[in-house]
Amino acid sequence: MRKVLGFLLLFFALAQMSAQQTGENELGAWYMYFGTNKISKRFSLHTEAQFRYYETTSNFNQLLLRTGLNYHINPNAIATLGYGFIETDGIFQDSPSEANSKENRIFQQFILKNKVWEFLFEHRYRLEQRFIEARDITSDPEIDLSRTEHRARYRIQMTLPLTNTFFLNFYDELFINLQDDLFGQNRLYGALGINITENSSIQFGYLRNQFANAVFDRLQIGFFYNPDLRSVFKKKKVQKSD
């Protein structure tokens, strides 16, 4: 009986150590910037930067830089072709500063918007082609884990204005792998938003990021800035003509 009890205690201790290694029990944070920069009647530029940490202010996890060209079919429909660079440290505990993967990503996206009473809905459909360069720095750096993966994502987002300044924002996003296991992850998000100016806002939120074998809790601070750059482009054209 003592041997069985000892084995069970050892098993649960190892399981707890494994959970800690992934950072699953830690409250992490994502600090984010998003921009939609209008350059003409139909076109705008998407700009984005995200800094993700296993803990709220330390222990780097991921850097994500993304940009794209948006085509505004109408005020409620937007098509995007874009590119992203992602650098990831997949080890929770302090490790060499060398990140263990770098990714170049191409994506295609389509957004549909609609309004129901006071609720603003947004449906985002995205396809991603992921070119991942990776090595296992924990055991053998010579082992090449580079690969190409394809993924589909669908996000439904709902925004509820409270006043001219404050609003609530919620979304749920499903990630579907187009190879191997179908389920990739699911992100459930809720936030309080504040309109700073006519074209800028900030959101303070919480994200529950669920994978097949782990769930991560993340605080989020997102800054959104959507300037109209058409006047800048007009000035440049005028200067060239002069």
Side-chain angles (χ1 to χ4, degrees):
M1 184 65 182
R2 289 182 178 178
K3 290 183 178 180
V4 173
L5 182 59
F7 173 79
L8 290 175
L9 290 174
L10 178 61
F11 174 81
F12 285 117
L14 291 174
Q16 180 66 17
M17 288 175 62
S18 175
Q20 289 288 349
Q21 289 296 321
T22 65
E24 187 177 358
N25 294 337
E26 297 293 331
L27 179 61
W30 293 6
Y31 303 98
M32 308 172 294
Y33 155 80
F34 300 93
T36 300
N37 311 282
K38 198 80 172 177
I39 58 176
S40 70
K41 181 179 179 181
R42 294 288 187 181
F43 290 97
S44 65
L45 296 176
H46 174 81
T47 53
E48 177 181 345
Q50 297 192 33
F51 304 89
R52 300 173 177 178
Y53 294 88
Y54 285 109
E55 299 171 286
T56 52
T57 57
S58 63
N59 207 340
F60 168 78
N61 173 211
Q62 192 173 71
L63 166 69
L64 188 151
L65 304 173
R66 190 155 36 206
T67 188
L69 180 65
N70 301 318
Y71 177 69
H72 297 254
I73 302 168
N74 59 52
N76 296 316
I78 306 170
T80 304
L81 176 63
Y83 164 79
F85 172 79
I86 299 93
E87 187 173 2
T88 304
D89 184 346
I91 302 175
F92 167 66
Q93 300 292 350
D94 290 338
S95 60
S97 58
E98 172 189 3
N100 65 352
S101 75
K102 294 182 180 180
E103 177 183 342
N104 292 284
R105 182 184 302 175
I106 300 171
F107 69 94
Q108 304 81 40
Q109 179 175 285
F110 184 60
I111 289 177
L112 284 174
K113 300 179 182 181
N114 67 291
K115 184 177 180 180
V116 180
W117 293 300
E118 295 299 319
F119 298 93
L120 307 175
F121 287 91
E122 180 181 285
H123 306 268
R124 189 179 75 182
Y125 307 86
R126 180 183 289 177
L127 290 174
E128 296 177 332
Q129 299 81 51
R130 309 173 65 201
F131 305 94
I132 303 169
E133 300 176 11
R135 294 186 182 277
D136 187 357
I137 63 174
T138 61
S139 57
D140 187 352
E142 298 302 319
I143 298 178
D144 190 355
L145 302 176
S146 299
R147 60 199 183 275
T148 299
E149 296 182 355
H150 300 271
R151 186 166 67 184
R153 300 166 58 169
Y154 167 69
R155 187 186 75 182
I156 179 170
Q157 177 176 268
M158 182 188 73
T159 303
L160 175 62
L162 300 176
T163 66
N164 290 333
T165 302
F166 296 98
F167 61 92
L168 297 176
N169 190 34
F170 306 94
Y171 73 70
D172 187 81
E173 183 171 18
L174 177 64
F175 292 63
I176 299 174
N177 297 320
L178 301 181
Q179 66 282 307
D180 302 326
D181 296 331
L182 188 64
F183 176 76
Q185 58 181 285
N186 190 82
R187 294 178 181 174
L188 184 63
Y189 171 79
L192 172 66
I194 303 172
N195 292 314
I196 302 172
T197 65
E198 185 179 354
N199 58 12
S200 66
S201 64
I202 191 169
Q203 293 185 24
F204 300 92
Y206 160 77
L207 176 78
R208 184 179 188 272
N209 197 5
Q210 180 177 356
F211 293 83
N213 55 1
V215 177
F216 297 93
D217 299 298
R218 296 292 181 257
L219 298 176
Q220 290 201 348
I221 299 178
F223 177 66
F224 299 77
Y225 182 50
N226 306 311
D228 191 334
L229 302 179
R230 286 177 289 183
S231 59
V232 176
F233 282 86
K234 286 181 180 178
K235 287 181 181 178
K236 288 184 177 180
K237 287 182 180 179
V238 171
Q239 290 174 355
K240 287 182 179 180
S241 62
D242 291 344

